Amino acid sequence: MMRVHKLLFAGGAALVLASCDTAPTATSYEPEPYVKFENAEWTRDAVIYQMNTRQFTPEGTFAAAQEHLPRLAEMGVDIVWLMPIHPIGEEKRKGTLGSPYSVKDYRAVNPDLGTEEEFRAFVNRAHELGLKVILDWVANHSAWDNPLVAEHPEWYTRNPEREMMPPEGTDWSDVADFDYSQPGLREYMTESLAYWVREFDIDGYRADVAGYVPLDFWETARKQLDAIKPVFMLAEWETRDLHAKAFDATYGWEWKENLQRVAKGEGNANAIRGYYAGQKETWPHAAYRMNYTDNHDQNSWDGVASEIYGPAYEAAIALSFVGPGIPLIYNGQEADLAKQLEFFEKDEIEWKTGRYDSLFRQLIALKTKEPALWNGRYGAQLVDVPNSAPGDVLSFVRGDTGDRVFAVFNLSPRAHDVTFELARHEGTFINALDGTEAIFGPDKGDAYGVSLEPWDYRIFREAD
């Protein structure tokens, strides 16, 4: 049955609208998944390791870095993210070696890092060891001496004086901004992304300043890449819409910033509790949010992570693994990297067995073993466990009875003897880091609470 509406306007004209009386069907109210693609199965419990090839070894080459791959595989890492591997622009270069984010050729390898054959060997060896390799991709801008500047000047943004320009509002003087209203640019960039997947069998990308590039470009590119092989896509951005059709993971900047404020005494446990609650309410469960304490931006501009977090550093690392999200390890963290790596110069990592090496290994093994801690749709939501010191202590469970992980973090410089409310955590657990038994519940004996030193934490897995 159709109902007709006539709207009269001052000039005498009429607009006729039709509407339908038909009642909506039951399926009209069925929820639809926000994320429209399936994550590759191998991403479900993945841990990312960021590698700056230039600084990773004294040689700064793929061949030298390849020698570390067995160590990373044994450590439990799943995805190796390589910072940009392309030739670096010389025009308006910053520093002696330039920024790897100033790309001179999107379909070539920086000769300082090695040859195409050596890069292919790196990827092949990673795959033999069960590792995946993703490339850092700079879609928003190119080097000033990239051949595209001369061959396709119409692909670049112009200032009011009609001159090519760096990305607006930045100090990135060594690069020229692309104009994504140009179909030719979109085709070239999508084909370049596909080139490395098709020809070198890489497994996906980390997209630099992903939000500076139109979302529909990334959605089209993702579809074409998945047609070649299932890929993993990480966006350097923090927008929910990126997850619908384009990216598996986005940066958890808010997580990092809140935790840093807590470490500085500018916030408390409620800031982190509120962050997780907001994630549960407003972001799709299938979205992977990347949690990290350090990366090339953090290390280059803000200082050394261990100094920024101070005594909260170890707890921050642990929380990045047991809270919802996909964790990132920055190269050198496992060796107690204690300096800011130069961005435009050679500045290699000093390798040693660091105090956090065994911690990373334990946390990775725990994340792999416990499905509750897996990423996105594969893992369990965080459920808050109310405690006696909510301003200082964060406590939560993830998972269903029988497969739960119970975690308690003292995010303060004060010691606490913590007790818990409700029954969300009650049962018999094993301390995941030292193997001791812990029993929680008023009818379970005397071990109902937890004693925590400043910035201390406990992670328990439910006993088998």
Side-chain angles (χ1 to χ4, degrees):
M1 177 179 177
M2 190 73 70
R3 180 184 299 143
V4 176
H5 303 274
K6 180 179 289 186
L7 302 180
L8 297 178
F9 295 91
L15 174 66
V16 178
L17 301 176
S19 65
C20 186
D21 274 345
T22 306
T25 64
T27 57
S28 301
Y29 300 108
E30 288 293 324
E32 290 189 14
Y34 186 85
V35 176
K36 304 298 185 184
F37 62 89
E38 290 294 325
N39 313 95
E41 189 275 339
W42 51 265
T43 70
R44 67 182 188 178
D45 60 348
V47 173
I48 307 171
Y49 187 94
Q50 182 185 3
M51 182 182 291
N52 182 339
T53 310
R54 176 194 286 173
Q55 317 295 28
F56 199 68
T57 62
E59 300 86 351
T61 62
F62 299 124
Q66 184 175 322
E67 299 302 313
H68 284 253
L69 291 178
R71 175 180 67 83
L72 297 181
E74 191 269 334
M75 186 178 176
V77 167
D78 301 282
I79 300 171
V80 178
W81 152 23
L82 294 180
M83 287 175 63
I85 66 168
H86 309 296
I88 295 172
E90 298 178 27
E91 185 178 346
K92 302 185 181 183
R93 172 178 284 190
K94 291 186 175 183
T96 305
L97 300 179
S99 167
Y101 294 88
S102 176
V103 177
K104 191 174 182 178
D105 187 343
Y106 285 93
R107 300 183 190 181
V109 166
N110 182 350
D112 293 341
L113 306 181
T115 65
E116 288 189 357
E117 291 72 22
E118 288 168 332
F119 173 64
R120 194 186 306 276
F122 179 95
V123 176
N124 290 343
R125 180 57 175 150
H127 287 169
E128 290 173 1
L129 293 166
L131 299 169
K132 304 296 183 180
V133 178
I134 67 173
L135 295 185
D136 214 324
W137 196 260
V138 190
N140 179 69
H141 47 265
S142 79
W144 290 96
D145 48 356
N146 188 305
L148 298 177
V149 171
E151 296 170 4
H152 292 284
E154 73 278 9
W155 290 359
Y156 288 84
T157 306
R158 304 281 174 161
N159 63 22
E161 290 71 40
R162 304 305 302 156
E163 301 166 330
M164 292 184 190
M165 56 184 283
E168 188 170 4
T170 74
D171 63 353
W172 305 342
S173 58
D174 56 341
V175 296
D177 190 62
F178 279 128
D179 176 6
Y180 270 81
S181 70
Q182 300 294 319
L185 169 63
R186 289 172 174 243
E187 180 180 9
Y188 167 83
M189 196 63 71
T190 303
E191 289 179 352
S192 297
L193 287 161
Y195 169 79
W196 294 95
V197 176
R198 185 176 57 248
E199 301 299 325
F200 292 86
D201 200 25
I202 69 154
D203 302 289
Y205 291 96
R206 178 265 187 187
D208 184 60
V209 289
Y212 280 21
V213 177
L215 177 57
D216 63 332
F217 165 79
W218 292 120
E219 291 178 343
T220 298
R222 173 62 186 257
K223 184 182 297 184
Q224 296 195 30
L225 294 177
D226 274 343
I228 301 171
K229 63 182 287 190
V231 295
F232 171 78
M233 299 290 286
L234 164 64
E236 188 202 17
W237 209 249
E238 196 167 24
T239 303
R240 181 177 62 183
D241 290 352
L242 291 169
H243 288 281
K245 298 179 182 178
F247 289 95
D248 301 82
T250 53
Y251 271 49
W253 281 321
E254 188 181 352
W255 181 91
K256 174 184 72 73
E257 291 163 359
N258 276 326
L259 206 52
Q260 287 181 355
R261 282 193 287 270
V262 171
K264 295 175 184 177
E266 299 169 359
N268 62 24
N270 285 321
I272 308 303
R273 186 177 289 110
Y275 169 81
Y276 285 132
Q279 292 294 296
K280 184 188 292 187
E281 291 293 333
T282 64
W283 288 70
H285 181 49
Y288 300 4
R289 306 305 315 287
M290 190 178 77
N291 299 331
Y292 67 95
T293 54
D294 206 356
N295 78 351
H296 68 283
D297 284 333
Q298 174 92 52
N299 187 270
S300 297
W301 312 124
D302 296 340
V304 180
S306 58
E307 295 178 358
I308 294 171
Y309 291 93
Y313 184 49
E314 184 174 326
I317 291 173
L319 187 57
S320 74
F321 278 82
V322 298
I326 183 169
L328 169 75
I329 302 171
Y330 179 58
N331 56 193
Q333 276 192 282
E334 73 272 39
D336 298 347
L337 182 64
K339 65 176 181 178
Q340 298 179 39
L341 294 177
E342 294 287 342
F343 204 69
F344 309 113
E345 310 292 342
K346 176 65 175 171
D347 186 18
E348 65 198 58
I349 298 167
E350 178 185 348
W351 288 107
K352 61 182 178 181
T353 300
R355 61 178 293 194
Y356 300 109
D357 181 84
S358 61
L359 175 64
F360 279 120
R361 292 169 183 269
Q362 285 182 294
L363 292 171
I364 294 172
L366 178 67
K367 184 177 179 68
T368 301
K369 177 180 173 61
E370 299 294 335
L373 302 184
W374 289 357
N375 302 318
R377 71 175 89 239
Y378 300 106
Q381 295 275 25
L382 179 150
V383 177
D384 186 64
V385 175
N387 66 66
S388 57
D392 286 351
V393 177
L394 173 72
S395 48
F396 59 87
V397 292
R398 296 182 65 191
D400 298 323
T401 300
D403 294 303
R404 291 173 297 171
V405 172
F406 174 39
V408 188
F409 285 81
N410 181 9
L411 302 178
S412 81
R414 293 165 288 278
H416 284 283
D417 292 324
V418 186
T419 57
F420 307 98
E421 303 170 17
L422 306 181
R424 296 170 179 175
H425 67 299
E426 293 182 358
T428 302
F429 290 79
I430 304 297
N431 186 309
L433 299 185
D434 68 16
T436 58
E437 185 178 73
I439 301 174
F440 298 99
D443 59 340
K444 302 292 184 179
D446 298 327
Y448 185 52
V450 173
S451 295
L452 298 169
E453 295 300 314
W455 307 110
D456 199 3
Y457 64 94
R458 299 285 187 277
I459 304 169
F460 304 99
R461 60 174 181 81
E462 195 155 14
D464 297 331

Short mmCIF file of all heavy atoms in Angstrom, two decimals, residues 35 37-40 42-43 203 205 222 226 230-235 242-250 286-290 326 376-378:
data_model
loop_
_atom_site.label_atom_id
_atom_site.label_comp_id
_atom_site.label_asym_id
_atom_site.label_seq_id
_atom_site.Cartn_x
_atom_site.Cartn_y
_atom_site.Cartn_z
N VAL A 35 32.63 -4.50 10.70
CA VAL A 35 33.79 -4.87 9.88
C VAL A 35 33.30 -5.82 8.80
O VAL A 35 32.74 -6.88 9.09
CB VAL A 35 34.89 -5.52 10.73
CG1 VAL A 35 36.05 -5.98 9.85
CG2 VAL A 35 35.39 -4.53 11.78
N PHE A 37 35.05 -7.43 6.38
CA PHE A 37 35.96 -8.42 5.83
C PHE A 37 36.43 -9.33 6.97
O PHE A 37 36.33 -8.99 8.14
CB PHE A 37 37.17 -7.76 5.15
CG PHE A 37 38.02 -6.93 6.09
CD1 PHE A 37 39.07 -7.50 6.80
CD2 PHE A 37 37.78 -5.58 6.25
CE1 PHE A 37 39.84 -6.74 7.66
CE2 PHE A 37 38.55 -4.81 7.11
CZ PHE A 37 39.59 -5.39 7.82
N GLU A 38 36.94 -10.48 6.61
CA GLU A 38 37.47 -11.42 7.59
C GLU A 38 38.97 -11.19 7.74
O GLU A 38 39.70 -11.14 6.76
CB GLU A 38 37.21 -12.86 7.15
CG GLU A 38 35.76 -13.28 7.21
CD GLU A 38 35.23 -13.32 8.64
OE1 GLU A 38 36.01 -13.68 9.55
OE2 GLU A 38 34.05 -12.99 8.84
N ASN A 39 39.42 -11.06 8.98
CA ASN A 39 40.85 -10.96 9.22
C ASN A 39 41.51 -12.29 8.86
O ASN A 39 40.93 -13.36 9.06
CB ASN A 39 41.14 -10.66 10.69
CG ASN A 39 40.28 -9.53 11.23
OD1 ASN A 39 39.25 -9.79 11.82
ND2 ASN A 39 40.70 -8.31 11.02
N ALA A 40 42.72 -12.22 8.33
CA ALA A 40 43.46 -13.44 8.06
C ALA A 40 43.60 -14.24 9.35
O ALA A 40 43.89 -13.68 10.41
CB ALA A 40 44.84 -13.11 7.48
N TRP A 42 45.83 -16.06 10.54
CA TRP A 42 47.12 -15.99 11.23
C TRP A 42 47.31 -14.72 12.04
O TRP A 42 48.28 -14.60 12.79
CB TRP A 42 48.27 -16.15 10.23
CG TRP A 42 48.23 -15.26 9.02
CD1 TRP A 42 47.73 -15.59 7.78
CD2 TRP A 42 48.73 -13.92 8.91
NE1 TRP A 42 47.88 -14.52 6.92
CE2 TRP A 42 48.50 -13.49 7.58
CE3 TRP A 42 49.36 -13.04 9.80
CZ2 TRP A 42 48.86 -12.22 7.13
CZ3 TRP A 42 49.73 -11.78 9.35
CH2 TRP A 42 49.47 -11.39 8.03
N THR A 43 46.37 -13.78 11.95
CA THR A 43 46.48 -12.56 12.75
C THR A 43 45.83 -12.69 14.12
O THR A 43 45.93 -11.78 14.94
CB THR A 43 45.83 -11.37 12.02
OG1 THR A 43 44.40 -11.54 12.00
CG2 THR A 43 46.34 -11.23 10.60
N ASP A 203 53.17 -9.66 3.16
CA ASP A 203 51.92 -10.06 3.79
C ASP A 203 51.03 -8.90 4.20
O ASP A 203 50.01 -9.11 4.88
CB ASP A 203 52.24 -10.90 5.02
CG ASP A 203 53.08 -12.12 4.64
OD1 ASP A 203 52.51 -13.04 4.01
OD2 ASP A 203 54.28 -12.14 4.96
N TYR A 205 50.67 -4.30 4.93
CA TYR A 205 51.28 -2.96 5.03
C TYR A 205 50.94 -2.29 6.35
O TYR A 205 49.87 -2.51 6.93
CB TYR A 205 50.79 -2.06 3.89
CG TYR A 205 51.29 -2.47 2.54
CD1 TYR A 205 50.52 -3.27 1.70
CD2 TYR A 205 52.56 -2.07 2.10
CE1 TYR A 205 50.99 -3.65 0.45
CE2 TYR A 205 53.03 -2.45 0.86
CZ TYR A 205 52.25 -3.24 0.04
OH TYR A 205 52.72 -3.62 -1.19
N ARG A 222 42.49 -2.38 -0.41
CA ARG A 222 42.38 -3.60 0.42
C ARG A 222 41.71 -4.72 -0.36
O ARG A 222 42.14 -5.88 -0.33
CB ARG A 222 41.60 -3.30 1.70
CG ARG A 222 41.28 -4.53 2.58
CD ARG A 222 42.57 -5.19 3.07
NE ARG A 222 42.36 -6.43 3.78
CZ ARG A 222 42.44 -6.56 5.10
NH1 ARG A 222 42.64 -5.49 5.86
NH2 ARG A 222 42.31 -7.72 5.66
N ASP A 226 43.58 -8.28 -1.16
CA ASP A 226 43.03 -9.54 -0.68
C ASP A 226 42.72 -10.50 -1.83
O ASP A 226 42.66 -11.72 -1.62
CB ASP A 226 41.76 -9.30 0.14
CG ASP A 226 42.05 -9.01 1.60
OD1 ASP A 226 43.17 -9.30 2.07
OD2 ASP A 226 41.15 -8.47 2.29
N PRO A 230 45.38 -13.14 1.34
CA PRO A 230 44.92 -12.46 2.55
C PRO A 230 46.06 -11.64 3.17
O PRO A 230 47.16 -12.16 3.37
CB PRO A 230 44.49 -13.60 3.48
CG PRO A 230 44.26 -14.75 2.57
CD PRO A 230 45.24 -14.60 1.45
N VAL A 231 45.81 -10.36 3.44
CA VAL A 231 46.85 -9.48 3.96
C VAL A 231 46.43 -8.93 5.32
O VAL A 231 45.27 -9.02 5.73
CB VAL A 231 47.14 -8.31 2.99
CG1 VAL A 231 47.72 -8.82 1.69
CG2 VAL A 231 45.88 -7.47 2.74
N PHE A 232 47.41 -8.33 5.99
CA PHE A 232 47.19 -7.62 7.25
C PHE A 232 47.49 -6.16 7.00
O PHE A 232 48.55 -5.81 6.44
CB PHE A 232 48.10 -8.17 8.34
CG PHE A 232 48.10 -7.35 9.61
CD1 PHE A 232 47.05 -7.45 10.51
CD2 PHE A 232 49.14 -6.49 9.91
CE1 PHE A 232 47.04 -6.70 11.69
CE2 PHE A 232 49.15 -5.74 11.08
CZ PHE A 232 48.10 -5.85 11.98
N MET A 233 46.58 -5.27 7.40
CA MET A 233 46.73 -3.84 7.18
C MET A 233 46.65 -3.09 8.50
O MET A 233 45.68 -3.22 9.24
CB MET A 233 45.65 -3.33 6.22
CG MET A 233 45.67 -3.96 4.83
SD MET A 233 47.09 -3.45 3.83
CE MET A 233 46.62 -1.75 3.41
N LEU A 234 47.69 -2.30 8.77
CA LEU A 234 47.79 -1.49 9.98
C LEU A 234 47.82 -0.02 9.58
O LEU A 234 48.65 0.39 8.77
CB LEU A 234 49.07 -1.84 10.74
CG LEU A 234 49.56 -0.86 11.81
CD1 LEU A 234 48.55 -0.75 12.96
CD2 LEU A 234 50.93 -1.28 12.33
N ALA A 235 46.92 0.78 10.14
CA ALA A 235 46.84 2.21 9.82
C ALA A 235 47.45 3.03 10.94
O ALA A 235 47.10 2.85 12.11
CB ALA A 235 45.39 2.63 9.61
N LEU A 242 38.07 3.40 9.56
CA LEU A 242 39.12 2.69 8.83
C LEU A 242 38.97 1.18 8.93
O LEU A 242 39.47 0.45 8.08
CB LEU A 242 40.49 3.10 9.36
CG LEU A 242 40.94 4.54 9.07
CD1 LEU A 242 42.18 4.88 9.87
CD2 LEU A 242 41.21 4.72 7.58
N HIS A 243 38.26 0.70 9.95
CA HIS A 243 38.14 -0.74 10.17
C HIS A 243 37.05 -1.39 9.33
O HIS A 243 37.05 -2.61 9.18
CB HIS A 243 37.84 -1.01 11.64
CG HIS A 243 39.00 -0.77 12.55
ND1 HIS A 243 40.03 -1.67 12.71
CD2 HIS A 243 39.31 0.30 13.34
CE1 HIS A 243 40.91 -1.19 13.57
NE2 HIS A 243 40.50 0.00 13.97
N ALA A 244 36.12 -0.63 8.79
CA ALA A 244 34.97 -1.24 8.13
C ALA A 244 35.36 -2.10 6.94
O ALA A 244 34.93 -3.25 6.82
CB ALA A 244 33.98 -0.16 7.71
N LYS A 245 36.20 -1.55 6.04
CA LYS A 245 36.54 -2.28 4.82
C LYS A 245 38.01 -2.23 4.46
O LYS A 245 38.40 -2.82 3.45
CB LYS A 245 35.73 -1.70 3.64
CG LYS A 245 34.23 -1.82 3.77
CD LYS A 245 33.53 -1.20 2.56
CE LYS A 245 32.02 -1.26 2.69
NZ LYS A 245 31.35 -0.62 1.53
N ALA A 246 38.83 -1.56 5.29
CA ALA A 246 40.21 -1.33 4.85
C ALA A 246 41.26 -1.92 5.78
O ALA A 246 42.16 -2.63 5.32
CB ALA A 246 40.45 0.18 4.69
N PHE A 247 41.20 -1.65 7.08
CA PHE A 247 42.32 -1.96 7.97
C PHE A 247 41.92 -2.93 9.08
O PHE A 247 40.87 -2.78 9.70
CB PHE A 247 42.87 -0.68 8.60
CG PHE A 247 43.61 0.19 7.62
CD1 PHE A 247 42.96 1.23 6.97
CD2 PHE A 247 44.95 -0.03 7.35
CE1 PHE A 247 43.63 2.04 6.06
CE2 PHE A 247 45.63 0.76 6.44
CZ PHE A 247 44.98 1.80 5.80
N ASP A 248 42.82 -3.88 9.34
CA ASP A 248 42.66 -4.76 10.49
C ASP A 248 42.92 -3.99 11.78
O ASP A 248 42.22 -4.18 12.78
CB ASP A 248 43.67 -5.92 10.43
CG ASP A 248 43.53 -6.75 9.19
OD1 ASP A 248 44.08 -6.35 8.14
OD2 ASP A 248 42.90 -7.81 9.26
N ALA A 249 43.96 -3.13 11.77
CA ALA A 249 44.44 -2.52 13.00
C ALA A 249 44.65 -1.02 12.82
O ALA A 249 45.01 -0.55 11.73
CB ALA A 249 45.75 -3.18 13.43
N THR A 250 44.44 -0.28 13.90
CA THR A 250 44.75 1.14 13.97
C THR A 250 45.53 1.40 15.24
O THR A 250 45.54 0.58 16.17
CB THR A 250 43.48 2.01 13.97
OG1 THR A 250 42.60 1.54 15.01
CG2 THR A 250 42.75 1.96 12.63
N ALA A 286 35.71 -6.42 16.48
CA ALA A 286 36.62 -7.01 15.50
C ALA A 286 37.83 -6.13 15.22
O ALA A 286 38.79 -6.57 14.58
CB ALA A 286 35.88 -7.30 14.20
N ALA A 287 37.81 -4.88 15.66
CA ALA A 287 38.92 -3.96 15.38
C ALA A 287 40.12 -4.28 16.26
O ALA A 287 39.99 -4.45 17.47
CB ALA A 287 38.48 -2.52 15.61
N TYR A 288 41.30 -4.36 15.63
CA TYR A 288 42.53 -4.52 16.40
C TYR A 288 43.07 -3.12 16.70
O TYR A 288 43.39 -2.37 15.79
CB TYR A 288 43.60 -5.26 15.60
CG TYR A 288 43.30 -6.66 15.13
CD1 TYR A 288 42.07 -7.27 15.32
CD2 TYR A 288 44.28 -7.38 14.45
CE1 TYR A 288 41.82 -8.55 14.86
CE2 TYR A 288 44.04 -8.67 13.99
CZ TYR A 288 42.81 -9.25 14.20
OH TYR A 288 42.57 -10.51 13.74
N ARG A 289 43.21 -2.77 17.96
CA ARG A 289 43.83 -1.50 18.35
C ARG A 289 45.26 -1.79 18.78
O ARG A 289 45.49 -2.58 19.69
CB ARG A 289 43.05 -0.83 19.49
CG ARG A 289 41.56 -0.64 19.21
CD ARG A 289 41.26 0.12 17.93
NE ARG A 289 42.10 1.31 17.77
CZ ARG A 289 41.97 2.45 18.47
NH1 ARG A 289 41.04 2.54 19.40
NH2 ARG A 289 42.76 3.47 18.25
N MET A 290 46.23 -1.15 18.14
CA MET A 290 47.63 -1.45 18.44
C MET A 290 48.09 -0.72 19.70
O MET A 290 48.09 0.50 19.76
CB MET A 290 48.54 -1.09 17.26
CG MET A 290 49.96 -1.61 17.45
SD MET A 290 51.05 -1.25 16.06
CE MET A 290 51.41 0.49 16.37
N ILE A 326 46.28 -5.36 19.88
CA ILE A 326 47.39 -6.11 19.30
C ILE A 326 48.68 -5.42 19.72
O ILE A 326 48.87 -4.22 19.50
CB ILE A 326 47.27 -6.21 17.76
CG1 ILE A 326 48.40 -7.05 17.18
CG2 ILE A 326 47.19 -4.84 17.10
CD1 ILE A 326 48.18 -7.43 15.71
N GLY A 376 41.14 -8.72 18.61
CA GLY A 376 39.87 -8.39 17.98
C GLY A 376 38.79 -9.41 18.22
O GLY A 376 38.53 -9.84 19.35
N ARG A 377 38.14 -9.82 17.12
CA ARG A 377 37.01 -10.75 17.19
C ARG A 377 37.39 -12.09 17.79
O ARG A 377 36.53 -12.83 18.29
CB ARG A 377 36.42 -10.95 15.79
CG ARG A 377 37.30 -11.75 14.87
CD ARG A 377 36.64 -12.05 13.51
NE ARG A 377 36.89 -11.00 12.53
CZ ARG A 377 35.93 -10.31 11.93
NH1 ARG A 377 34.67 -10.53 12.23
NH2 ARG A 377 36.23 -9.39 11.03
N TYR A 378 38.67 -12.45 17.74
CA TYR A 378 39.10 -13.75 18.23
C TYR A 378 39.26 -13.80 19.74
O TYR A 378 39.26 -14.88 20.34
CB TYR A 378 40.44 -14.14 17.58
CG TYR A 378 40.38 -14.23 16.08
CD1 TYR A 378 40.95 -13.24 15.28
CD2 TYR A 378 39.76 -15.30 15.45
CE1 TYR A 378 40.90 -13.32 13.89
CE2 TYR A 378 39.70 -15.40 14.07
CZ TYR A 378 40.28 -14.40 13.29
OH TYR A 378 40.23 -14.49 11.92
#
